[in-house]
Amino acid sequence: MKIDSDILVISRSICNNIARFDATERGLLSQNILSQLRNFVESIAVKIYGAGNDIDLTYNSITKALEHIKTKGSYKFLSKFHDLLQISASHYTLDEGKSERLMLKYYEYLLKIKVFLKNTYNLDVLENIDNFPLDTDSNLSEYYEKIAARINQSQSSKTRSSYNDRYYIQKVKPIFVNHYIYYEVTFTVANDKASKFDRVIAFTKLEISYNYAVKLSISNDTIDIMGKIMPIQIIDGWEVSIRPCELNWFSQIVGEHRINGGSTEYRELMRFLTETGMSLVDLIDSSDDYFLYVKNQIFGNVKDLRFFDALEKSRELALGNRPGSNVIRYLLHKLNNKVLKQQQWNQACKDLSNLNLSYGCIPFDKMPFNTSLRNHNPKILDLFECIKPTGREHELLARLIKNNTERNGVLFTPKKDIEGFDNIDALLQKYNNTLYYKHAHRRLENYKDHIYINGYADDSVEIIRKLREISSSGINNYLNSVEFWLQSSAYNIDCDEKKSALKQMFVNSRVALVYGSAGTGKSTLINHVSNFFNDRKKIYLANTNPAVDNLRRKVTAANCSFKTIRRFLSTKDSDSVCDLLVIDECSTVSNTDMKQILEKASYKLLILVGDIYQIESIVFGNWFSIARSFISAKSVFELTKPYRTTNPGLLNVWNRVRNIDMAILEPLVKNNYSVALDESIFDNSEEDQIILCLNYDGLYGINNINRFLQGNNTSPPIQWGINSYKVNDPILFNESERFAPLIYNNLKGKITAIDVYGDKIQFEIEIDKVINELDAEIYDFQFIGTSQNGNSIIRFFVNKFRSTDEDDDLTSEAVIPFQVAYAVSIHKAQGLEYNSVNIVITNEIEELITHNIFYTSITRAKENLKIYWTPETEHKVLNSLELKNGKKDVALLKSKYSL
């Protein structure tokens, strides 16, 4: 057949490319293969549609074939693959790096195609696809092989999980073992309070939908890794099980009736979604014939259709592309209770087709690819799956500029570096014309062939001008007063570098910018200044609770107030007047927050402290790195002598990584800091030890390593929900804020007792803090006493979660307010220090390693450091490190704003 010939021609071309290139040329190989995949998939779709007839490949036949495979669950993988190819081919010119990442993602689909064509049509294609260089970490391969073996064993050897409620799927990652596809599934309990710390990993060979809440059949098993028994979970059954409260929130938004979770309509809808693998957006986008078929055949015996009425109304909106349709499409695609509640409004929005949506949804509806919903940032892949990007190139361009600014710290993006977009000036104009009227600060401007977001540039300039203003004059007789204080008081400063900084700090300026590498005593210098100004009112700000607590511990002066920036900027906080304002870890403070701090605070002196080589602000924050280029050198102080460690090996590595010396590898090897992933990762014998990871998911993510190390704890496990807890587990309190502000996010502790009483679990926790009975009076916990090392012990209950059928607005007492913390993220460790630090870096996450993240992680260690990675990962990470260069941004700001 001619259609078979078309398929085989493309298959041979792909095979020839694989045979021609080796692993070192994987980027070019990926580019060559990607250029052929869309035609390959469309040819296969036409063959399916032909049902044995030889149909010509025409635009009409391809369109009908693609529509056909969308409605058949067994072809869902092919339809989804085509959608992904449409996106990648139409909207991005793919360089070799992007091509490689896409091919690793698409490898799963190519394997499925190979198996499908052989089993269905006895057609042999992609014969050498096994030779495509996946570059899988050899350490991980063995573990995945053992997991695959357990998945394929009979169920009789496994114990069942007792938890039987809904889950949200967070991520599904394909694993390839002996040319078969398995999946690593990351999930949480389906409630509004679940966080990234509550994620659990299980493995399966089933392809599970991830749009909606699901019920899972889970078995418990174990595998042997490096002489340790690792518990694993295996998914051997699943079904879509959307929470009824989610369907009801959506129905309320479109103005339709509530649905009963026990109704026939609900059961038939869940069965339909499970069997077809379709999303509800796929359904409302389907042809008239198919939509009527579903209504009449699938739901024909349902007497009282309620949610289907909401679907019909949504379909009408979507097909007419009416205002509100993009919001509806996204909400239908995910149906997440927390997100739905944030968008719903109790009255009709006339600008969104009278849907019961907040006016805050309008910007997203206009430009979904570069705007957020209320309190929710959709993932780009989710958007591509439910909203067609055709005609939205202006949004994608704006997203590219925004990402380059916020993720890479580049304020001015050169036009010449922008690929994949034609007529950039016209796209800029279209984007600016489409902006919501309240979002003028998001306009894209063009200056000297560089594109920038005007609000970010304006904020940078306002901060610089304010700092310049307060640096124009110092305090009269400041130097003499410091020298008199040093001579006449008992206070001792035993560091000449810090003594000199204190003496000069406010001689010529009322602002001091203090830069210093890790462990150079920046907090100690803050304490010295604070004691000199002991009688003056002082406010200390930092982004995180650990940083604030660190300041609270280090500063011994009187008249001090310590706050997170979030709390300081809140409308409830009226305490903003002081003589001395100190902001710590300034590299993590965004431009927006810094501008607001300078507007709200009333102060006489300002100290800004940080290290531009450590982790930067999550939201755009370039002000601290560029400030010294605009402020007099008399306002800038740099600490260089390290105190965190005297270990010469560590100091050598720190300096070489900080400056990206060519010879970073030598001291890593010489001092045995670089090690292969072996059983020593499970050695948790040191008291002051931490394991740092980049991500929460994956075999070597934080959650899994915590389970590994918890296995070494000989205390009996207590199961609660999908997690288990043991006495002596180290913990970190999370963002539940149940006991805030006394017990804050990231406070360390240890479980000292656990008891279960029916629907309640009781914990006793030794906290890394000393409190008294009066401190605890207003909080929902009991003060028990003091541990042997002087820390306080508290006791509290956690209730069992209600059924996920219901909305769970008022269930803070049903949330475990802490996470087990044998391992933590590198971001959470910033500002902390440990005697021994183990860092885990695998090739699953290495592309996320920036210079700032790597430097921050290694400088947490006071004495012992181990970096667990393969030689290949080590080589790739070290070669990819680069310093951020803000010189061009500084020059353009000076030129444009006459600074």
Side-chain angles (χ1 to χ4, degrees), residues 721-735:
I722 59 174
N723 293 307
S724 64
Y725 301 93
K726 295 182 176 182
V727 170
N728 294 322
D729 277 345
I731 62 102
L732 281 178
F733 282 90
N734 58 29
E735 298 162 341

Side-chain angles (χ1 to χ4, degrees), residues 398 401-402 404-405 410-415 418 428 431-432 440-461 620 889 892-893 896-897:
I401 301 298
K402 183 181 177 185
N404 195 36
T405 304
V410 178
L411 182 55
F412 292 92
T413 300
K415 258 188 181 183
I418 299 173
L428 289 183
Y431 169 77
N432 289 335
H441 57 287
R442 297 182 183 177
R443 285 180 60 86
L444 294 180
E445 306 289 356
N446 184 3
Y447 181 69
K448 292 188 175 180
D449 283 334
H450 288 75
I451 312 300
Y452 68 96
I453 301 169
N454 73 325
Y456 283 159
D458 289 347
D459 286 352
S460 301
V461 172
F620 178 63
D889 285 349
L892 289 169
L893 281 173
K896 175 166 177 55
Y897 293 90

Side-chain angles (χ1 to χ4, degrees), residues 56-160:
D56 288 335
L57 273 171
T58 63
Y59 176 79
N60 188 48
S61 64
I62 290 171
T63 302
K64 289 181 177 179
L66 293 174
E67 178 67 35
H68 174 70
I69 63 172
K70 273 189 175 181
T71 63
K72 305 295 181 185
S74 55
Y75 307 138
K76 178 67 178 174
F77 76 96
L78 205 58
S79 175
K80 186 172 180 181
F81 191 20
H82 187 267
D83 288 342
L84 290 172
L85 292 169
Q86 288 273 76
I87 294 161
S88 61
S90 302
H91 297 282
Y92 295 101
T93 300
L94 299 173
D95 60 24
E96 290 187 13
K98 290 174 186 168
S99 298
E100 282 192 68
R101 288 194 290 275
L102 279 174
M103 265 307 295
L104 292 175
K105 180 180 180 65
Y106 294 166
Y107 184 82
E108 171 195 359
Y109 293 98
L110 293 176
L111 271 186
K112 287 180 179 178
I113 285 172
K114 177 182 172 68
V115 172
F116 168 75
L117 290 178
K118 179 63 176 176
N119 291 345
T120 310
Y121 303 110
N122 197 29
L123 200 60
D124 290 307
V125 297
L126 305 175
E127 288 89 342
N128 64 349
I129 190 66
D130 310 338
N131 296 330
F132 182 85
L134 286 173
D135 190 28
T136 304
D137 190 323
S138 55
N139 284 314
L140 294 176
S141 296
E142 179 187 351
Y143 308 147
Y144 287 143
E145 286 170 9
K146 291 182 176 181
I147 288 167
R150 301 305 293 173
I151 291 172
N152 292 323
Q153 276 197 342
S154 70
Q155 299 302 312
S156 58
S157 61
K158 303 163 188 166
T159 60
R160 310 294 307 167

Side-chain angles (χ1 to χ4, degrees), residues 622-840:
N622 72 335
W623 68 271
F624 190 63
S625 62
I626 66 173
R628 63 194 305 172
S629 300
F630 296 92
I631 308 297
S632 167
K634 293 178 180 179
S635 300
V636 178
F637 302 88
E638 183 126 24
L639 301 181
T640 57
K641 185 178 179 181
Y643 288 88
R644 178 166 295 166
T645 184
T646 56
N647 184 315
L650 273 181
L651 290 173
N652 191 13
V653 169
W654 290 4
N655 288 331
R656 293 197 183 184
V657 170
R658 184 179 180 86
N659 301 311
I660 312 190
D661 190 296
M662 287 180 60
I664 296 174
L665 183 59
E666 285 71 11
L668 285 174
V669 173
K670 179 183 176 183
N671 293 287
N672 295 317
Y673 296 148
S674 274
V675 293
L677 203 53
D678 59 23
E679 64 276 5
S680 68
I681 187 68
F682 306 118
D683 181 8
N684 200 37
S685 55
E686 291 190 49
E687 187 67 28
D688 188 27
Q689 175 176 299
I690 195 65
I691 296 176
L692 300 181
C693 308
L694 243 187
N695 61 338
Y696 286 86
D697 308 323
L699 199 59
Y700 291 104
I702 291 164
N703 294 319
N704 229 27
I705 287 182
N706 276 327
R707 285 177 176 78
F708 274 167
L709 296 178
Q710 192 185 52
N712 289 347
N713 182 343
T714 55
S715 302
I718 304 297
Q719 194 72 29
W720 189 255
I722 59 174
N723 293 307
S724 64
Y725 301 93
K726 295 182 176 182
V727 170
N728 294 322
D729 277 345
I731 62 102
L732 281 178
F733 282 90
N734 58 29
E735 298 162 341
S736 74
E737 297 191 347
R738 179 175 169 188
F739 310 128
L742 187 64
I743 308 295
Y744 50 79
N745 176 29
N746 234 22
L747 177 66
K748 290 194 287 187
K750 183 174 72 173
I751 300 175
T752 56
I754 311 172
D755 290 291
V756 176
Y757 301 97
D759 286 347
K760 294 178 183 286
I761 186 170
Q762 177 183 279
F763 292 101
E764 290 184 12
I765 306 288
E766 176 190 331
I767 58 174
D768 191 18
K769 187 174 181 175
V770 178
I771 63 173
N772 60 46
E773 186 179 358
L774 293 180
D775 293 328
E777 273 186 343
I778 63 172
Y779 292 97
D780 184 24
F781 63 77
Q782 291 176 270
F783 174 73
I784 300 301
T786 305
S787 67
Q788 288 184 344
N789 61 9
N791 285 335
S792 298
I793 300 174
I794 65 172
R795 176 192 293 155
F796 55 86
F797 281 100
V798 176
N799 295 327
K800 190 174 183 178
F801 253 114
R802 296 182 298 178
S803 162
T804 58
D805 282 13
E806 304 173 52
D807 199 357
D808 48 12
D809 244 346
L810 305 174
T811 52
S812 61
E813 291 182 6
V815 178
I816 301 287
F818 60 80
Q819 68 195 81
V820 174
Y822 292 91
V824 301
S825 72
I826 295 171
H827 288 81
K828 266 191 170 289
Q830 185 167 18
L832 303 177
E833 56 185 48
Y834 301 86
N835 189 60
S836 181
V837 172
N838 296 339
I839 305 166
V840 181

Side-chain angles (χ1 to χ4, degrees), residues 556-570:
T556 58
N559 300 308
C560 298
S561 177
F562 302 89
K563 306 175 186 182
T564 62
I565 290 172
R566 181 181 175 186
R567 180 184 159 196
F568 177 77
L569 292 178
S570 73

Side-chain angles (χ1 to χ4, degrees), residues 349-388:
C349 175
K350 60 182 175 56
D351 292 331
L352 294 174
S353 301
N354 289 316
L355 294 165
N356 294 321
L357 288 169
S358 163
Y359 278 81
C361 296
I362 294 173
F364 175 85
D365 197 59
K366 284 177 173 287
M367 289 196 286
F369 286 95
N370 193 49
T371 317
S372 300
L373 284 164
R374 294 184 71 224
N375 301 311
H376 177 67
N377 295 314
K379 295 177 182 177
I380 186 68
L381 279 178
D382 286 329
L383 292 173
F384 278 135
E385 287 186 355
C386 62
I387 299 172
K388 290 182 173 60

Side-chain angles (χ1 to χ4, degrees), residues 495-535:
C495 170
D496 291 339
E497 186 179 50
K498 294 183 180 66
K499 190 181 292 184
S500 173
L502 174 62
K503 287 180 178 181
Q504 297 299 319
M505 192 165 280
F506 299 116
V507 170
N508 300 291
S509 168
R510 289 177 182 256
V511 59
L513 284 78
V514 179
Y515 298 85
S517 57
T520 52
K522 298 186 290 295
S523 300
T524 304
L525 177 57
I526 291 173
N527 185 45
H528 294 333
V529 181
S530 302
N531 275 278
F532 173 68
F533 289 108
N534 186 65
D535 297 331

